[in-house]
């Protein structure tokens, strides 16, 4: 009788532990999916930031050339 109770207890314990393992596997899969989405989002944001930085550099370069051109015109007009 004790052996049957022990076997029953161990079987219930095994089911419980299998449930925990399944829950951990599901959680790990969701974490992997979430991390993948976060990486994609960060890559997208990094790409956007890089594009914006390139545009800013282009705009600043263009404005710098305009200022230089204006300064050169002023310099030549004074002479």
């Amino acid at each position: 009788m004790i052996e049957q109770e022990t076997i029953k207890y161990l079987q219930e314990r095994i089911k419980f532990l299998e449930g925990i393992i399944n829950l951990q596997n599901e959680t790990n899969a969701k974490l992997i999916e979430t991390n993948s989405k976060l990486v994609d989002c960060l890559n997208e944001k990094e790409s956007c930031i890089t594009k914006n930085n390139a545009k800013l550099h282009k705009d600043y370069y263009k404005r710098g050339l305009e200022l230089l051109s204006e300064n050169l015109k002023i310099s030549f007009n004074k002479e």
Side-chain angles (χ1 to χ4, degrees):
M1 212 44 163
I2 294 177
E3 288 177 4
Q4 285 181 344
E5 289 176 15
T6 303
I7 289 172
K8 185 178 178 184
Y9 169 77
L10 291 174
Q11 287 173 336
E12 289 174 1
R13 197 74 184 139
I14 288 171
K15 275 187 173 180
F16 173 74
L17 293 173
E18 286 174 341
I20 290 176
I21 290 170
N22 287 338
L23 182 60
Q24 286 177 328
N25 288 339
E26 289 173 20
T27 302
N28 287 342
K30 287 181 181 179
L31 286 171
I32 289 169
E33 181 183 342
T34 301
N35 286 343
S36 177
K37 288 178 181 178
L38 286 171
V39 167
D40 290 345
C41 181
L42 287 172
N43 286 339
E44 184 179 316
K45 297 237 182 275
E46 183 179 13
S47 174
C48 183
I49 288 169
T50 301
K51 287 177 187 174
N52 285 341
N53 282 346
K55 184 180 181 327
L56 282 174
H57 284 289
K58 181 181 173 185
D59 291 346
Y60 286 133
Y61 182 73
K62 182 179 175 185
R63 183 63 183 138
L65 288 177
E66 289 170 355
L67 290 172
L68 179 61
S69 174
E70 288 173 22
N71 285 336
L72 289 174
K73 287 177 187 174
I74 292 170
S75 294
F76 284 116
N77 287 338
K78 284 184 180 177
E79 294 176 4

